[in-house]
């Protein structure tokens, strides 16, 4: 990125730069991958571009379905222009099937279908290791009002309906995903961050039996290999469908 743009923030998977328009930011997707609060780190050449393309098309789909988001446009292969938001320090996870931390922390068996999608909310705080948080603690900490939290939960459930049906059409099971929200300059709540195989669990439905084939960051988390191949396959299926 040319140094005309000032780096405002660097996260684990993205860099955020200022834009000439102070209501906008430029977001660059990095090739870095981290897991377990960055205890595990690696670089995958091409991941940034793939996530940028995948995320841009998913945000376009959500916008078409009237979900308010920060996404404005693709700037280049691995960069988007987005509305500037003040990020709410909460990670909203929605689970359609049990997997990952839910199975480590409960006796629920991996893969179990959850008749009612489960919403788990985590405090976005690396020092504290993003702990699971309750509605009462969110209120106590005055992170957001309970009305705004209800709105975020409602948006997350709506996003799940849209994404689940979209991914099913391209033979992918949406197991779970993580969202982040923020406030724009007029205090509207917008969906922020990205939606990509870095923050969704996507299982291939083109499998005989019930074999689980992860086409997401679990390939890195669980040392399965083939991360770029998996992300490319998702990108290819979206390309062929849209
Ligand atoms: P979990 O099972 O590890 O709690 O993850 C649930 C979903 O949230 C999964 O799709 C991965 C995503 N996720 C993130 O995007 N960032 C994170 O820091 C964590 C822990 C999970
Ligand atoms: N975001 C987590 C990390 O920082 C990784 C994950 O998605 O599991 O390492």
């Amino acid at each position: 990125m040319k140094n005309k743009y000032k780096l405002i923030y660097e996260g684990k998977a993205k860099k955020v730069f200022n834009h000439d328009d102070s209501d906008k930011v430029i977001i660059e997707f990095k090739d870095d991958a981290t897991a377990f609060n960055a205890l595990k780190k690696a670089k995958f050449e091409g991941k940034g571009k793939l996530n940028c393309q995948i995320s841009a098309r998913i945000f376009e789909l959500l916008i078409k379905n009237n979900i308010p988001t920060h996404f404005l446009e693709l700037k280049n292969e691995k960069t988007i222009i987005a509305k500037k938001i003040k990020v709410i320090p909460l990670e909203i996870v929605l689970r359609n099937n049990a997997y990952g931390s839910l199975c480590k922390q409960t006796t629920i068996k991996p893969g179990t279908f959850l008749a009612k999608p489960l919403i788990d909310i985590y405090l976005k705080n690396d020092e504290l290791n993003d702990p699971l948080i309750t509605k009462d603690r969110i209120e106590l900490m005055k992170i957001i009002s309970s009305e705004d939290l209800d709105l975020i939960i409602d948006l997350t459930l709506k996003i799940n309906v849209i994404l689940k049906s979209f991914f099913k059409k391209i033979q992918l099971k949406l197991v779970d995903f993580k969202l982040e929200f923020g406030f724009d300059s007029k205090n509207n709540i917008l969906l922020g961050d990205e939606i990509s195989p870095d923050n969704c669990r996507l299982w291939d439905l083109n499998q005989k039996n019930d074999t689980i084939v992860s086409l997401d960051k679990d390939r890195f988390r669980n040392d399965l290999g083939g991360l770029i191949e998996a992300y490319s396959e998702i990108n290819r299926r979206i390309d062929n469908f849209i």
Side-chain angles (χ1 to χ4, degrees):
M1 178 75 77
K2 288 186 210 108
N3 40 14
K4 165 182 175 202
Y5 301 107
K6 194 175 137 241
L7 182 69
I8 306 172
Y9 170 82
E10 179 158 5
K12 286 180 278 215
K14 290 184 291 296
K15 286 180 184 173
V16 182
F17 298 87
N18 70 354
H19 187 282
D20 298 333
D21 179 339
S22 62
D23 269 344
K24 297 179 183 174
V25 289
I26 298 169
I27 304 177
E28 184 182 299
F29 289 66
K30 305 198 297 187
D31 285 343
D32 303 77
T34 61
F36 314 114
N37 199 14
L39 276 180
K40 193 168 167 174
K41 286 186 201 167
K43 228 181 176 82
F44 294 93
E45 207 185 320
K47 181 177 84 77
K49 279 184 198 167
L50 285 162
N51 277 352
C52 182
Q53 299 303 312
I54 294 169
S55 187
R57 279 168 304 167
I58 292 176
F59 270 81
E60 280 163 0
L61 169 77
L62 294 175
I63 292 165
K64 261 192 221 153
N65 284 276
N66 301 316
I67 301 293
T69 87
H70 73 154
F71 179 79
L72 291 169
E73 59 178 309
L74 263 175
K75 179 171 158 65
N76 63 41
E77 276 183 314
K78 58 172 183 171
T79 312
I80 63 161
I81 299 178
K83 291 180 198 158
K84 188 185 272 179
I85 55 171
K86 190 170 181 292
V87 178
I88 298 164
L90 295 175
E91 302 199 346
I92 317 293
V93 169
L94 182 144
R95 304 175 193 271
N96 290 308
N97 295 78
Y99 213 65
S101 68
L102 177 61
C103 299
K104 288 185 189 143
Q105 294 164 4
T106 68
T107 53
I108 305 170
K109 293 212 167 59
T112 307
F113 170 68
L114 309 175
K116 179 174 172 249
L118 175 69
I119 294 198
D120 280 336
I121 306 180
Y122 299 84
L123 179 66
K124 190 174 155 68
N125 184 315
D126 284 343
E127 275 165 38
L128 296 176
N129 227 342
D130 296 349
L132 192 61
I133 190 167
T134 61
K135 275 190 166 192
D136 285 348
R137 287 187 184 189
I138 293 171
E139 199 175 312
L140 185 70
M141 291 177 70
K142 298 189 170 52
I143 297 175
I144 44 169
S145 68
S146 59
E147 291 76 21
D148 283 342
L149 185 60
D150 288 346
L151 197 124
I152 285 174
I153 291 172
D154 187 51
L155 278 172
T156 303
L157 291 167
K158 284 190 180 131
I159 291 167
N160 183 46
V161 172
I162 300 163
L163 293 186
K164 219 166 55 167
S165 130
F166 172 73
F167 283 123
K168 196 163 173 219
K169 288 181 194 151
I170 55 171
Q171 294 296 301
L172 293 168
K173 186 207 275 272
L174 178 63
V175 174
D176 57 32
F177 56 90
K178 185 264 298 182
L179 303 178
E180 294 183 23
F181 293 85
F183 292 101
D184 70 7
S185 55
K186 293 181 186 125
N187 256 359
N188 298 306
I189 290 185
L190 306 182
L191 174 67
D193 196 39
E194 67 181 281
I195 299 187
S196 74
D198 264 16
N199 54 10
C200 298
R201 282 200 173 94
L202 295 164
W203 292 352
D204 191 8
L205 286 170
N206 290 334
Q207 297 294 324
K208 292 196 186 96
N209 318 316
D210 280 337
T211 324
I212 293 174
V213 173
S214 301
L215 296 176
D216 53 59
K217 204 163 87 175
D218 274 350
R219 303 218 67 87
F220 168 63
R221 293 189 190 100
N222 303 334
D223 298 314
L224 301 171
L227 179 136
I228 289 294
E229 290 77 0
Y231 286 32
S232 302
E233 175 62 17
I234 289 179
N235 194 35
R236 191 187 62 75
R237 287 191 201 180
I238 296 176
D239 258 352
N240 289 346
F241 185 78
I242 289 179

